[in-house]
Amino acid sequence: MPLPLFELSPAAQRAWLSERLSRPPPESAIGLSDGFRLPGREGAPTPAAVLVPLVNRPEGLHVLLTQRSAQLGDHAGQISFPGGRVEPEDVDLAHAALREASEEIGLDPARVEILGELAHYETVTGYRVAPVVGWIEPPLSLSPDPLEVSDVFEVPLVYLLNPAHQQRHFRMLGALRRDYWAIPYGERYIWGATAAMLMILDRTLRCDG
């Protein structure tokens, strides 16, 4: 089913997204987490937040994503949203997401209009992640931290929300089967937590309830 979002003007898109995100998350967007933890990552999850940045390009909305540095301990080299753990100085989850985006890619928090928050996602590494959706008007001036980020790129939102591009795969970890979402994009492979949070966004925006 085509989303009405892509038939609207940018101003109407912003209002439509804000209204959808103000609703309680639909049942279909809850519980998409992996359902297990990696060994040594058991226990209470660590609060974290990521920014889901929607960039208002003339050709349509784009999602800004990062390629994580190969030097990182968790999810090295994977595609992700800018974000990280919530720190004591963060006044709320949106503040945490904006602070982390500023530290990772040099995104000025003043350039981001927060539209709302998606259902949370628990990672295999023990984080409970709040995806915070933000609207960004170009131009963008970014300065990625090379210790955390190896690349920053954008993908059209209409591509990511196309069911034809959303795939379900699995891997065997010993005797344990891990099912996960993936959205390949050219030479990029968006999978795991990032793809799952994009699925949460997709299901949230498609819900008419």
Side-chain angles (χ1 to χ4, degrees):
M1 178 182 71
L3 277 171
L5 171 69
F6 299 114
E7 305 299 324
L8 303 174
S9 69
Q13 284 181 328
R14 194 164 59 242
W16 189 89
L17 287 164
S18 295
E19 193 281 326
R20 286 295 169 116
L21 293 168
S22 70
R23 303 177 183 180
E27 289 295 324
S28 62
I30 298 173
L32 294 189
S33 299
D34 290 286
F36 71 98
R37 299 279 187 82
L38 293 175
R41 298 301 184 97
E42 300 85 357
T46 300
V50 298
L51 183 66
V52 182
L54 304 181
V55 185
N56 181 27
R57 298 293 184 188
E59 62 273 23
L61 288 173
H62 281 58
V63 178
L64 187 149
L65 294 162
T66 70
Q67 185 99 32
R68 292 170 62 83
S69 168
Q71 308 171 51
L72 294 175
D74 286 334
H75 310 288
Q78 292 183 14
I79 291 171
S80 67
F81 295 114
R85 70 174 66 213
V86 176
E87 301 293 351
E89 67 267 24
D90 293 319
V91 296
D92 55 25
L93 294 168
H95 183 274
L98 292 172
R99 175 186 53 74
E100 285 283 342
S102 175
E103 294 174 1
E104 286 184 17
I105 61 174
L107 176 62
D108 181 358
R111 303 288 302 172
V112 185
E113 177 187 349
I114 299 300
L115 300 182
E117 187 179 311
L118 297 169
H120 295 186
Y121 178 89
E122 289 197 16
T123 70
V124 295
T125 48
Y127 291 91
R128 181 172 175 80
V129 183
V132 178
V133 182
W135 180 281
I136 301 174
E137 290 289 343
L140 287 179
S141 177
L142 304 177
S143 53
D145 179 351
L147 296 177
E148 296 195 60
V149 176
S150 63
D151 194 15
V152 180
F153 63 99
E154 296 179 14
V155 181
L157 181 62
V158 67
Y159 179 94
L160 295 168
L161 300 188
N162 184 339
H165 301 145
Q166 300 163 355
Q167 303 175 3
R168 193 70 169 154
H169 296 292
F170 74 91
R171 289 181 179 179
M172 298 303 297
L173 301 176
L176 181 65
R177 171 172 168 149
R178 179 188 176 187
D179 293 275
Y180 60 90
W181 289 101
I183 307 176
Y185 178 66
E187 296 181 353
R188 312 273 190 182
Y189 189 65
I190 306 166
W191 72 286
T194 303
M197 285 185 272
L198 287 167
M199 292 302 304
I200 292 172
L201 174 64
D202 181 274
R203 295 178 179 192
T204 300
L205 299 185
R206 290 186 188 279
C207 180
D208 289 322

